[in-house]
Amino acid sequence: MSLIPKKGNVYVVDDDEAVRDSLQWLLEGKDYRVKCFDSAESFLSRYDPREVACLIADIRMDGMSGLELQDRLLDRKSPLPVVFITGHGDVPMAVQTMKKGAMDFIEKPFKEDELLALVERMLDQARDAFSSHQEAASRDALLSRLTTREAQVLERIVAGRLNKQIADDLGISIKTVEAHRANIMEKLNANTVADLLKIALGAPAKA
């Protein structure tokens, strides 16, 4: 049974305690798990990329700004969906964050319904990203079971090379290629060449 609440985790990063308290009260009242931080630095030191979560961050904060926080997350290749809270004069900055991948921004004072709808959209995206990450991790785990030679054979199978061509490429016998193919099929839990290609190319094979 998952320990993650059904609705997922929401990070709130804002140096205004009143805003943090207000958001926490609103979101926890809707069954979200909320983690508040008073600075971007403290958030980054405790952020767990393995969680299904989204981020609500103020664009202007003491210390690291929301823009700088977004840049740090991009450097980490984080899939975390982000929405920014902005003041009236911050709209051009908010537009800049969206060009870098932020889902949206909301102006203070924000409407509760608008914010809740954004949070649900972000968590939908986070769940999709997490699922894709899990599939990629499973695929990588399977492929890591192959020996270097088996990986070379698989690469050529994917490229459409025939057994004789693979044997010539690698300087081995056709019987050895056939043995490697059999091992690859077994290690990757593939019943057909089509299944094998789906796994090798990153698409999940059918059970």
Side-chain angles (χ1 to χ4, degrees), residues 142-143 145-157 162-163 166-190 193 196:
L142 283 175
L143 292 174
R145 298 167 64 185
L146 301 181
T147 64
T148 300
R149 179 64 87 194
E150 287 165 353
Q152 292 170 339
V153 171
L154 176 59
E155 182 182 352
R156 285 160 175 78
I157 293 171
L162 302 175
N163 283 358
I166 296 172
D168 291 342
D169 289 344
L170 300 177
I172 56 180
S173 70
I174 293 177
K175 282 190 176 297
T176 302
V177 173
E178 291 171 349
H180 283 316
R181 284 185 76 126
N183 287 339
I184 292 167
M185 298 285 282
E186 182 178 352
K187 288 182 178 180
L188 299 188
N189 300 323
V193 174
L196 191 67

Side-chain angles (χ1 to χ4, degrees), residues 10 16 38 65 102 124 141 159 168 179 198:
V10 182
D16 185 328
D38 60 5
S65 71
D124 282 344
D168 291 342
K198 287 176 185 177

